[in-house]
């Protein structure tokens, strides 16, 4: 047998083993987070994760891959697959004594997640009564509740998460993570995580972030001053800022974003941009319910959902195509004001992840899995680009309609721009930066200084230094911090947002529009999606846009005068209204995927048997209406 043939046998065996281990872990992850019936537990989740990581951390596997790499230099395809096996295994391979630390940490993380899921969260009213509410519901109260006392109580509810996680193992998790990283030769855990995911270290990352942080500080300071001048100093209280910016506007917009129709509108929008899913199956579990996950991290800084892939898309050795299976969820409450808009943002974001990972066409599942060495920024770029469209005036002219089909009036959009544009974008940017700077400082703390009091003080210090004051979303309430795969992750959102605005600039320059542009899907697929992690994130952004990644387009957006944004948005809105009048509102959409709506163990609808995607959407709308009527 030739060296190439031996290498191919090794590769096929490894791919098959990885597929099986990956799927077992993801099935357990989904069952645990969704609180499904069956034998799901923190122990089983830790066990299946260990099995997957044991495969990836096997020293013999890495040695064989390195040997075959030397022996097959003339076979480009074999070299490509061996290279991704080596890159992936090097992210997990560690000496036995370090592996023990990793396994102990994984158990602590699982125990904390289960404790957090069982945490009684909510807010206390003036009469002393306690109202249970999820973290999503509490954050929604900050934007929509007119009574300040309730908003303050809701913020206190969110703030209670920090002490809880610190009392339930997070302190020891941080220490263990650092021990692992330092034993592997890294500066600290943050350096370990960013090097594995992005291919460069913590120092280079923060050199990039420092420039953005310093460059946008004056914009943030000016925005806070203007905010206080416009609404009063008390408006800067963390429980008041979201409501002052958009409280009344959220209520005005609510009828034009009915929750039950959110999925159909995402589907129509994607279809109009030529986005397809290459035969994928998507399981959607969108509704909040008791015991559903509380700590599974949200992919997206403002998302309340997450997206995982028990089956990874890839091209098998015989040339057959393995479509992906996506598990996609959120914590939606259809009765809450603003839930429809939140759902649309989540759908556009998570469905962007799903479209991306469904279209990775490479010869191993390792190219299309979401963990290291897949770049965080690369993964988030796709979803954040697509969810950015929900804020565009032309998107809203086409898809923001009440149940009678009436389009949202531009006067509401103008009021929103006037109320939020000088503030929201820069405040969100600074909030993203704050998480990265907090985690940097957290993992740089000497172990003897890692106390509950010190970490809470550190969180408050970073919020003040980066955001200008206490955050509406308390730092220690952010679920990414406690999650293994999402810790030291937030920088990816910042780098991705830089790319989002640069990519938007490219499309506007080339085509003049993004919304309902059928060139968008094929362009993204060819330039960003198909390669998976086989190409460098910074390189593919530059290859598409013709420029190295920078924050220039993003900062330009932040600096756009309100009156200019209003005028531009009005023009885009009017053009979209004219286009919509000429369009056929088709009832036959094909995104080349099967959609299954579920609510825990219950199957609500399946597009393969319920009249296609729109038929399944109709059954979901009926299910939501029934649930709302019974609430």
């Amino acid at each position: 047998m030739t060296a190439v043939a031996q290498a191919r046998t090794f590769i096929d065996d490894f791919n098959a083993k990885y597929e099986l281990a990956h799927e077992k872990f993801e099935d357990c992850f989904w069952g645990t987070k969704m609180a499904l019936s069956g034998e799901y537990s923190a122990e089983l989740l830790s066990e299946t994760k260990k099995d997957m990581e044991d495969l990836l951390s096997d020293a013999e596997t890495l040695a064989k891959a390195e040997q075959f790499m030397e022996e097959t230099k003339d076979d480009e395809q074999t070299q490509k697959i061996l290279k991704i096996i080596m890159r992936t295994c090097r992210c997990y391979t560690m000496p036995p004594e370090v592996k023990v630390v990793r396994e102990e940490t994984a158990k602590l993380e699982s125990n904390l997640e289960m404790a957090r899921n069982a945490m009684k969260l909510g807010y206390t009213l003036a009469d002393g009564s306690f109202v249970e509410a999820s973290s999503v519901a509490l954050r929604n109260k900050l934007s929509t509740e007119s009574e300040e006392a309730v908003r303050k109580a809701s913020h206190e509810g969110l703030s209670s998460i920090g002490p809880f996680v610190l009392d339930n193992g997070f302190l020891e998790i941080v220490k263990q993570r650092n021990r692992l990283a330092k034993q592997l030769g890294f500066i600290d855990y943050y350096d370990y995580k960013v090097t594995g995911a992005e291919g460069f270290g913590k120092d280079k990352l923060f050199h990039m972030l420092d420039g953005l942080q310093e460059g946008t500080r004056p914009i943030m300071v000016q925005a806070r001053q203007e905010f206080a001048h416009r609404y009063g100093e008390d408006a800067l209280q963390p429980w008041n800022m979201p409501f002052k910016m958009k409280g009344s506007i959220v209520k005005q917009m609510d009828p034009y974003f009915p929750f039950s129709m959110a999925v159909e509108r995402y589907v129509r929008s994607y279809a109009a941009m030529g986005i397809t899913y290459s035969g994928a199956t998507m399981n959607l579990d969108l509704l909040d319910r008791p015991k559903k996950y509380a700590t599974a991290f949200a992919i997206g800084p403002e998302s309340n959902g997450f997206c995982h892939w028990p089956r990874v898309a890839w091209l098998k050795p015989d040339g057959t195509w393995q479509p992906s299976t996506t598990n996609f969820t959120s914590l939606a409450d259809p009765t809450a004001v603003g839930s429809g808009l939140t759902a649309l943002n989540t759908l556009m974001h998570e469905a962007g992840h799903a479209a991306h990972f469904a279209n990775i066409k490479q010869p191993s599942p390792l190219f299309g899995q979401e963990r290291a060495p897949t770049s965080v920024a690369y993964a988030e770029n796709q979803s954040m680009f697509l969810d950015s469209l929900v804020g565009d005036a032309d998107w809203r002219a086409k898809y923001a309609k009440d149940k009678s089909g009436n389009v949202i009036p531009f006067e509401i959009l103008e009021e929103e721009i006037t109320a939020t544009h000088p503030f929201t974008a820069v405040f969100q940017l600074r909030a993203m930066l704050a998480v990265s700077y907090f985690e940097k400082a957290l993992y740089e703390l000497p172990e003897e200084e890692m106390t509950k009091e010190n970490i809470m003080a550190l969180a408050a210090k970073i919020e003040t230094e980066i955001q200008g004051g206490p955050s509406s979303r308390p730092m220690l309430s952010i679920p990414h911090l406690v999650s293994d795969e999402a810790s030291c992750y937030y920088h990816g959102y910042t780098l991705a947002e830089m790319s989002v605005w640069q990519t938007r600039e490219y499309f506007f320059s080339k085509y003049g529009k993004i919304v309902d542009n059928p060139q968008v899907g094929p362009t993204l697929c060819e330039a960003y999606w198909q390669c998976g992690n086989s190409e460098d994130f910074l390189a593919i952004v530059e290859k598409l846009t013709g420029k190295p990644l920078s924050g220039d387009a993003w900062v330009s957006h932040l600096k756009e005068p309100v009156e200019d944004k209003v005028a531009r948005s009005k023009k885009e809105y009017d053009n979209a209204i004219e286009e919509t009048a000429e369009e056929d509102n088709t009832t036959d959409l094909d995104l080349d995927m099967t959609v299954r709506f579920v609510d825990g163990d219950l199957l609500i609808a399946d597009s393969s048997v319920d009249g296609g995607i729109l038929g399944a959407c109709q059954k979901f709308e009926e299910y939501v209406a029934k649930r709302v009527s019974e609430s």
Side-chain angles (χ1 to χ4, degrees):
M1 185 181 289
T2 65
V4 170
Q6 290 178 333
R8 290 288 179 148
T9 299
F10 164 77
I11 288 168
D12 292 346
D13 180 64
F14 181 84
N15 283 341
K17 288 178 179 176
Y18 175 75
E19 262 200 311
L20 181 62
H22 177 97
E23 187 168 353
K24 281 185 176 180
F25 166 68
E26 288 294 349
D27 284 345
C28 189
F29 181 91
W30 181 252
T32 304
K33 302 305 177 187
M34 296 302 104
L36 301 182
S37 61
E39 297 181 358
Y40 299 110
S41 65
E43 292 76 17
L44 184 59
L45 184 60
S46 294
E47 181 182 322
T48 55
K49 184 174 186 177
K50 178 180 179 298
D51 290 343
M52 181 177 70
E53 292 189 351
D54 281 350
L55 174 66
L56 295 175
S57 63
D58 181 58
E60 186 177 344
T61 297
L62 179 57
K64 283 184 179 179
E66 291 171 339
Q67 176 188 336
F68 285 128
M69 195 75 178
E70 288 297 317
E71 296 173 354
T72 61
K73 291 182 178 178
D74 294 332
D75 192 296
E76 184 177 341
Q77 182 80 333
T78 300
Q79 291 270 298
K80 179 177 184 177
I81 305 172
L82 289 170
K83 184 177 179 182
I84 190 58
I85 291 175
M86 290 162 54
R87 283 180 60 208
T88 306
C89 288
R90 284 170 181 163
C91 293
Y92 296 90
T93 300
M94 54 190 68
E97 64 273 16
V98 182
K99 199 171 181 182
V100 170
V101 177
R102 177 72 192 92
E103 290 168 4
E104 290 173 351
T105 309
K107 290 177 183 177
L108 290 171
E109 289 163 346
S110 291
N111 291 337
L112 174 55
E113 287 186 2
M114 298 302 284
R116 173 64 184 87
N117 282 352
M119 179 186 179
K120 190 176 181 181
L121 192 63
Y123 58 96
T124 303
L125 296 173
D127 63 4
S129 60
F130 182 79
V131 180
E132 285 199 45
S134 69
S135 59
V136 174
L138 292 173
R139 291 185 67 200
N140 191 60
K141 284 284 184 186
L142 300 186
S143 296
T144 61
E145 174 58 55
S146 58
E147 188 176 339
E148 182 178 353
V150 176
R151 294 198 304 272
K152 184 177 181 181
S154 298
H155 188 264
E156 289 169 351
L158 287 170
S159 299
S160 71
I161 295 172
F164 181 89
V165 298
L166 289 168
D167 286 337
N168 282 271
F170 186 53
L171 276 172
E172 187 58 31
I173 288 170
V174 172
K175 294 175 184 178
Q176 289 281 78
R177 287 173 177 174
N178 257 356
R179 289 168 192 159
L180 179 148
K182 290 177 180 179
Q183 287 182 50
L184 291 173
F186 293 91
I187 299 169
D188 55 28
Y189 186 70
Y190 205 124
D191 189 48
Y192 163 71
K193 283 294 293 282
V194 72
T195 301
E198 306 300 342
F200 51 79
K202 183 178 74 170
D203 289 346
K204 179 176 179 179
L205 170 66
F206 281 92
H207 177 73
M208 298 169 71
L209 297 186
D210 284 346
L212 188 64
Q213 192 275 122
E214 292 161 7
T216 58
R217 175 172 291 280
I219 304 174
M220 181 268 289
V221 171
Q222 181 180 352
R224 285 181 64 87
Q225 291 172 347
E226 171 60 25
F227 194 74
H229 177 74
R230 184 182 295 191
Y231 299 113
E233 285 291 333
D234 199 49
L236 293 174
Q237 293 289 356
W239 54 84
N240 286 333
M241 291 183 73
F243 181 76
K244 293 296 183 181
M245 274 190 287
K246 54 188 179 182
S248 63
I249 298 164
V250 170
K251 292 180 179 178
Q252 291 181 64
M253 293 171 65
D254 193 55
Y256 301 97
F257 293 94
F259 173 85
S260 62
M261 301 182 74
V263 180
E264 179 179 335
R265 291 180 181 176
Y266 128 66
V267 166
R268 289 188 179 279
S269 176
Y270 270 42
M273 290 187 287
I275 294 172
T276 58
Y277 287 81
S278 297
T281 296
M282 184 186 294
N283 297 307
L284 293 173
D285 189 330
L286 302 177
L287 302 173
D288 197 7
R289 61 178 178 274
K291 297 185 179 180
K292 194 174 176 181
Y293 71 93
T295 58
F297 71 95
I299 300 184
E302 297 303 321
S303 169
N304 68 51
F306 69 82
C307 199
H308 278 225
W309 294 265
R311 288 186 183 170
V312 179
W314 68 294
L315 285 166
K316 294 191 171 183
D318 62 1
T320 58
W321 171 242
Q322 172 62 62
S324 68
T325 297
T326 304
N327 288 334
F328 172 164
T329 186
S330 67
L331 294 170
D333 174 6
T335 65
V337 174
S339 65
L341 179 55
T342 299
L344 262 172
N345 278 308
T346 300
L347 284 160
M348 292 288 282
H349 182 98
E350 305 298 348
H353 280 302
H356 168 203
F357 282 93
N359 285 290
I360 294 175
K361 298 187 176 177
Q362 296 295 327
S364 169
L366 293 180
F367 291 104
Q369 56 85 27
E370 71 270 28
R371 297 173 183 84
T374 298
S375 161
V376 175
Y378 168 61
E380 295 302 333
N381 174 54
Q382 326 305 324
S383 53
M384 291 170 69
F385 172 80
L386 290 163
D387 77 36
S388 74
L389 303 180
V390 179
D392 291 351
D394 50 349
W395 193 94
R396 290 181 170 182
K398 294 199 171 198
Y399 298 104
K401 300 177 182 180
D402 64 20
K403 290 184 177 180
S404 299
N406 300 307
V407 178
I408 188 169
F410 183 76
E411 290 73 19
I412 295 178
L413 303 188
E414 182 176 4
E415 184 177 345
E416 180 193 29
I417 293 168
T418 303
T420 65
H421 177 64
F423 314 117
T424 302
V426 70
F427 290 166
Q428 287 177 345
L429 181 158
R430 303 296 295 190
M432 280 193 276
L433 286 171
V435 181
S436 296
Y437 279 93
F438 170 70
E439 288 193 286
K440 176 179 182 289
L442 174 65
Y443 290 101
E444 288 176 353
L445 273 179
E447 189 167 305
E448 63 273 15
E449 294 181 19
M450 288 184 182
T451 65
K452 176 181 177 180
E453 294 73 23
N454 284 351
I455 290 177
M456 291 181 67
L458 179 64
K461 176 175 178 284
I462 295 295
E463 286 180 8
T464 299
E465 288 180 353
I466 305 297
Q467 295 179 253
S471 176
S472 299
R473 188 183 192 185
M475 183 68 70
L476 289 164
S477 73
I478 296 172
H480 296 64
L481 307 180
V482 302
S483 167
D484 166 43
E485 60 234 58
S487 56
C488 304
Y489 188 107
Y490 241 75
H491 64 268
Y493 297 133
T494 306
L495 297 178
E497 191 75 2
M498 293 164 66
S499 175
V500 164
W501 289 99
Q502 193 162 314
T503 304
R504 283 172 61 94
E505 184 180 65
Y506 163 79
F507 275 107
F508 283 128
S509 175
K510 184 168 184 177
Y511 297 109
K513 62 179 291 188
I514 300 175
V515 174
D516 288 9
N517 177 355
Q519 298 299 319
V520 170
T523 299
L524 292 175
C525 193
E526 181 179 352
Y528 285 168
W529 296 350
Q530 289 182 353
C531 63
N533 60 22
S534 68
E535 295 187 32
D536 177 70
F537 166 65
L538 300 178
I540 63 172
V541 173
E542 184 170 0
K543 185 162 65 174
L544 176 65
T545 66
K547 301 175 183 178
L549 179 67
S550 78
D552 293 349
W554 191 3
V555 174
S556 177
H557 162 68
L558 298 178
K559 291 181 175 179
E560 183 179 21
V562 170
E563 56 272 19
D564 291 358
K565 182 172 174 63
V566 169
R568 176 176 56 78
S569 297
K570 182 66 165 69
K571 181 179 178 180
E572 293 170 356
Y573 178 92
D574 289 343
N575 289 342
I577 293 292
E578 290 180 17
E579 289 177 7
T580 303
E582 300 171 3
E583 291 173 354
D584 174 26
N585 193 28
T586 181
T587 58
D588 183 22
L589 297 178
D590 182 14
L591 274 70
D592 192 15
M593 72 169 170
T594 298
V595 175
R596 300 174 74 254
F597 291 95
V598 297
D599 189 11
D601 292 306
L602 176 68
L603 174 64
I604 301 168
D606 183 333
S607 67
S608 66
V609 295
D610 288 319
I613 289 178
L614 293 182
C617 286
Q618 181 60 41
K619 287 192 72 172
F620 177 67
E621 290 168 23
E622 293 167 0
Y623 180 83
V624 171
K626 184 171 183 261
R627 177 162 160 168
V628 169
S629 69
E630 293 173 352
S631 63

